[in-house]
Amino acid sequence: MTGPSGIVSVIHPRGFFLFNPSPPSPVEQELDTIQRDALTEIEGLSGESALEEFRVRYLGKKGRLTVAGAGMKDLSAEQRPLVGKKLNEVRVAITSALESRQEALVAARDAEVVTGIDPTLPGTPSFVGTRHPVSQILDRAIRTLRRLGFALAQGPEIETEWHCFDALNTPADHPARNESDTFYFEDGRLLRTHTSSVQIRTMETTPPPVRIIAPGSAFRRDEIDATHLSAFNQIEGLYVAETVTLADLKGTLEYFLKATFGDSTDVRFRPHFFPFTEPSFEVDLSMNGKWIEIAGCGMVDPAVFEAVSKVRGDDAFHPDKVTGFAFGLGLDRLAMIQWGITDIRHLIENDARFLRQFA
Ligand code: DAH
């Protein structure tokens, strides 16, 4: 029987044999030698660079196997596919020997790393962080106020005097504008002393109705003590539409504070003065029989609408067309009330023993 390419298959008493009747060509002999050399050599190799050097020497572009393969062009058309097949087999044999050697070396290295380690010993527990108390209060505040239809807004921490003071009806001689109270840059800009500047930023770009909250940091040149930091956190609120009333303001803040501190919390509005609201109030919470001040608020002063209208160049916020309320809450203060924290400095010390209590 003659099969393809001159291979003769013979039925032999012990089975079914295939053999190639012609003697192996010099290329085939060379391939056998290469395979034998490679498989012997690789057993003695350790280390990545030795293996890489081996790979290049046998399998690389100028490697022994490639060079031997080049000899195929001198073979007859009959021999070429047979030798090609062998070439491939040798390549596979060397490649897989190389791979298993690499795996064995990695396994040996891994085994070395764990020698001497007792896996039955208890591990060192790693502490997964917790939300900072101020972040927790902020998350809660945002959730509640979003339910009431407030959207998030933000503005820069480095502000112009105009956004921080003038547009908020705060005259040049107001004590808050004093160099001893406010961090000024040489170019006249400043670190915002409150988040109220975001009210102006928002109205500059967004026509009414506007209903936003703006959480963020504020900065004052205060002496640092148990109740004051020079960088602290506020949340600003602003609602401007055709007919916003004082009742809306009180209802919103009462709902928000009861949702945050519990239904039994009492809320009190005390008349006060802020340049940018008229009338203005301070808001107190009752805690263990004591009233604690936590926010300022009021009805947006028409002078603020006028300042905004001037830069907008339209009458979208004309004081005859819209009314609004605004409020500003101290977030650090809220966190202190919530957890009975007596010193505000704990909030910025990053002491894990303190922070992990709020898990
Ligand atoms: N900006 C004031 C402060 O930092 C708080 C405040 C009071 C904000 C009244 C307001 C407001 O929006 O209407 O002390």
Side-chain angles (χ1 to χ4, degrees):
M1 246 197 280
T2 307
S5 32
I7 299 176
V8 179
S9 53
V10 173
I11 305 293
H12 185 274
R14 270 189 261 134
F16 185 68
F17 281 76
L18 278 177
F19 69 90
N20 185 347
S22 47
S25 62
V27 185
E28 285 171 291
Q29 286 173 16
E30 169 67 0
L31 288 175
D32 283 333
T33 315
I34 293 176
Q35 174 160 350
R36 209 174 328 111
D37 289 355
L39 297 189
T40 317
E41 189 181 334
I42 197 156
E43 288 312 313
L45 295 184
S46 54
E48 263 166 50
S49 56
L51 288 178
E52 174 59 12
E53 188 270 334
F54 170 91
R55 189 191 64 76
V56 171
R57 195 150 39 78
Y58 281 94
L59 306 170
K61 267 197 210 125
K62 293 183 189 150
R64 283 179 70 181
L65 203 57
T66 320
V67 172
M72 276 185 44
K73 64 180 185 319
D74 304 325
L75 298 176
S76 70
E78 269 177 7
Q79 272 181 319
R80 208 171 293 151
L82 290 175
V83 175
K85 187 161 170 262
K86 183 165 184 90
L87 181 69
N88 216 21
E89 285 164 2
V90 174
R91 178 175 288 277
V92 169
I94 297 179
T95 308
S96 70
L98 179 62
E99 279 167 7
S100 16
R101 189 76 196 130
Q102 273 161 339
E103 279 165 24
L105 286 178
V106 170
R109 203 183 319 134
D110 288 352
E112 205 171 293
V113 172
V114 295
T115 356
I117 293 179
D118 179 354
T120 63
L121 286 175
T124 316
S126 58
F127 177 63
V128 184
T130 58
R131 299 283 288 159
H132 189 279
V134 172
S135 302
Q136 291 189 38
I137 284 284
L138 175 59
D139 288 349
R140 211 187 301 168
I142 290 175
R143 264 201 304 277
T144 312
L145 290 163
R146 282 178 83 132
R147 265 208 305 277
L148 295 176
F150 287 87
L152 278 173
Q154 58 178 3
E157 292 178 351
I158 297 177
E159 258 303 1
T160 63
E161 274 197 88
W162 190 80
H163 287 94
C164 198
F165 296 127
D166 298 291
L168 286 162
N169 195 34
T170 309
D173 59 357
H174 192 280
R177 298 182 69 151
N178 211 305
E179 291 225 1
S180 60
D181 288 327
T182 301
F183 294 106
Y184 283 93
F185 292 91
E186 272 171 10
D187 65 2
R189 289 184 304 164
L190 45 82
L191 288 179
R192 67 178 179 199
T193 55
H194 52 185
T195 45
S196 301
S197 50
V198 186
Q199 293 185 29
I200 306 300
R201 295 262 169 201
T202 306
M203 288 189 281
E204 273 178 346
T205 55
T206 317
V210 164
R211 187 152 34 178
I212 54 109
I213 44 175
S217 302
F219 308 86
R220 284 181 204 170
R221 246 173 130 148
D222 277 335
E223 204 68 61
I224 294 175
D225 61 26
T227 51
H228 294 87
L229 291 174
S230 51
F232 54 100
N233 302 283
Q234 293 190 324
I235 186 164
E236 190 77 17
L238 174 70
Y239 177 27
V240 179
E242 258 170 44
T243 49
V244 179
T245 68
L246 188 53
D248 296 320
L249 169 59
K250 290 188 73 178
T252 301
L253 284 182
E254 270 176 15
Y255 173 80
F256 165 65
L257 293 168
K258 282 175 189 284
T260 307
F261 294 104
D263 278 339
S264 57
T265 312
D266 271 330
V267 181
R268 170 172 95 172
F269 290 75
R270 257 184 311 107
H272 196 75
F273 174 79
F274 293 105
F276 32 92
T277 42
E278 181 59 34
S280 304
F281 305 89
E282 276 188 334
V283 186
D284 300 337
L285 277 189
S286 85
M287 278 277 151
N288 313 321
K290 268 200 332 212
W291 289 102
I292 301 175
E293 182 221 318
I294 49 115
C297 67
M299 300 306 290
V300 177
D301 195 298
V304 173
F305 288 139
E306 271 157 22
V308 166
S309 299
K310 218 176 267 170
V311 282
R312 285 181 58 93
D314 66 14
D315 63 356
F317 285 94
H318 191 285
D320 291 344
K321 290 174 91 177
V322 290
T323 54
F325 70 66
F327 60 87
L329 293 147
L331 276 175
D332 313 85
R333 187 61 78 81
L334 289 185
M336 289 171 77
I337 293 173
Q338 172 74 56
W339 286 288
I341 299 166
T342 50
D343 192 324
I344 196 171
R345 290 168 290 197
H346 287 315
L347 293 175
I348 57 162
E349 277 164 354
N350 269 342
D351 185 333
R353 291 168 305 177
F354 169 76
L355 292 173
R356 78 178 53 148
Q357 301 176 85
F358 307 98

